[in-house]
Amino acid sequence: MSNTAFNTIGKTMPYKVPANYMQQACEQAKLLTGRVVTRSAGVWWKVTAGVAVAAIVAVLCFHWGKPDPMEQYQNYIARLSAEDLANMCNDVEYMEESMYY
Amino acid sequence: MDNESIMHLLKHPHTFNEGYNQLVDTYTSALYWTIRRLVVTHEDAQDVLQNVWIKVYTGLPNMKGDASSLKAWLYKICINESLNWLKKKRSSIFTSIDDVNEQLLQAVPEEIFCSEEDISVRFQKAVLALPHKQKIVFNLRYYEELSYQQISEITGQSVNTLKTGYHYAVEAIKAKLEIKNE
């Protein structure tokens, strides 16, 4: 096969292409000029909203997670035995006495 | 519109979209056919082309180079996207990309508008049967008429390797066509 024949023989493409496809492909590609900007703006909006929600949740968890001091004290007293309480009262009496004398 | 004028439009933010639209008008057909020759089916070519334009649009602001390298840059994205697409089509990650050729050849009869015995179909089948590296060099040289230097920028291979690859590709295609003619 000569080079001239070879250089022309394969240039005809036998593949089917839908009518007007190239025009449609151009129009589709051009739509990106609007979509990519909108999409990136959308992403930033979602990221900002996500960070804000995460911050609010973190603050609320921190607040709710903190034990109430009064409740903590009551639980502590409830766990003490009668003997512990008696000792505590003696300690208080001793402290009071040492303050006055 | 030539690459110089397109690059001029792309450099300025207020004319960027106009430059991109000119780029699309100038290159859509050429890029489509480059992809189609590699992936064979129209649906696949359509999907790959869309991905290519997304990459081009998002990559243009960071593109390094001037008008002379614009064409090579576009084809580089085009070839990489097509190869990635073909890699996804492999049956497993251990399958070589060249093994996809058999799948591609099977898709040909559905995609053509003429007889399988037509010389143009036999030519395409002979091209499809080439190893991928040779196929890419052949397509870019034979159809897109790019210089070896431009193909080197796209594929990263040396000019001498490309020349050898093209030579082997031509011989392999001729051999396949002549065997059939005898």
Side-chain angles (χ1 to χ4, degrees):
Chain A
M1 185 186 288
S2 72
N3 280 340
T4 322
F6 183 82
N7 286 338
T8 51
I9 211 166
K11 301 268 168 146
T12 312
M13 289 309 295
Y15 296 138
K16 290 181 275 191
V17 185
N20 299 329
Y21 169 70
M22 291 305 165
Q23 199 188 335
Q24 284 169 15
C26 283
E27 281 164 16
Q28 248 176 354
K30 286 175 188 175
L31 284 175
L32 284 176
T33 53
R35 275 188 195 162
V36 172
V37 174
T38 316
R39 195 174 59 168
S40 62
V43 168
W44 280 113
W45 183 86
K46 283 175 193 161
V47 168
T48 312
V51 169
V53 168
I56 291 167
V57 169
V59 167
L60 290 177
C61 285
F62 179 73
H63 178 75
W64 284 332
K66 260 193 342 190
D68 179 18
M70 196 57 190
E71 196 182 342
Q72 231 182 342
Y73 177 72
Q74 282 167 349
N75 287 339
Y76 171 68
I77 297 294
R79 278 201 303 273
L80 292 174
S81 63
E83 194 182 346
D84 288 334
L85 285 170
N87 286 338
M88 276 175 76
C89 291
N90 287 339
D91 286 347
V92 171
E93 274 171 24
Y94 173 76
M95 279 167 68
E96 280 175 350
E97 278 170 11
S98 36
M99 279 171 76
Y100 293 116
Y101 303 104
Chain B
M1 190 177 258
D2 60 29
N3 287 352
E4 202 79 45
S5 316
I6 293 172
M7 277 306 276
H8 185 74
L9 291 172
L10 290 170
K11 273 181 187 165
H12 303 285
H14 60 282
T15 54
F16 179 85
N17 283 350
E18 193 190 335
Y20 170 78
N21 288 346
Q22 292 293 344
L23 194 70
V24 168
D25 286 335
T26 311
Y27 283 103
T28 289
S29 179
L31 294 182
Y32 170 80
W33 282 113
T34 304
I35 297 164
R36 183 81 189 265
R37 284 184 206 107
L38 290 171
V39 303
V40 180
T41 69
H42 170 69
E43 283 71 26
D44 285 354
Q46 202 175 2
D47 290 344
V48 175
L49 184 64
Q50 276 187 356
N51 292 346
V52 167
W53 281 125
I54 291 169
K55 291 235 160 127
V56 168
Y57 187 78
T58 51
L60 270 170
N62 306 319
M63 186 207 150
K64 287 166 189 154
D66 51 17
S68 61
S69 53
L70 179 65
K71 194 174 179 181
W73 183 73
L74 287 174
Y75 278 101
K76 190 173 187 170
I77 294 175
C78 190
I79 297 292
N80 287 342
E81 279 299 308
S82 305
L83 290 179
N84 285 340
W85 191 267
L86 291 174
K87 276 180 194 162
K88 282 183 205 158
K89 284 187 86 119
R90 290 178 301 176
S91 50
S92 82
I93 52 163
F94 301 108
T95 313
S96 150
I97 193 163
D98 286 324
D99 295 331
V100 180
N101 282 357
E102 198 52 47
Q103 270 177 273
L104 297 175
L105 282 165
Q106 283 169 5
V108 171
E110 296 289 314
E111 296 294 320
I112 54 175
F113 57 76
C114 49
S115 152
E116 271 195 79
E117 291 308 305
D118 196 282
I119 187 78
S120 60
V121 179
R122 283 166 45 210
F123 194 97
Q124 284 311 311
K125 282 184 168 182
V127 175
L128 281 175
L130 293 171
H132 268 80
K133 282 185 179 173
Q134 280 183 23
K135 198 188 300 179
I136 289 163
V137 181
F138 182 81
N139 284 342
L140 293 176
R141 181 78 183 141
Y142 184 86
Y143 292 106
E144 310 308 325
E145 297 174 356
L146 298 183
S147 68
Y148 284 114
Q149 191 54 49
Q150 282 176 309
I151 303 172
S152 172
E153 283 173 39
I154 296 165
T155 61
Q157 291 174 289
S158 75
V159 169
N160 284 337
T161 310
L162 294 170
K163 281 182 182 173
T164 313
Y166 183 76
H167 174 76
Y168 279 123
V170 170
E171 292 305 311
I173 295 165
K174 277 184 180 175
K176 286 217 167 175
L177 294 176
E178 275 159 12
I179 287 168
K180 193 81 179 177
N181 284 338
E182 281 167 5

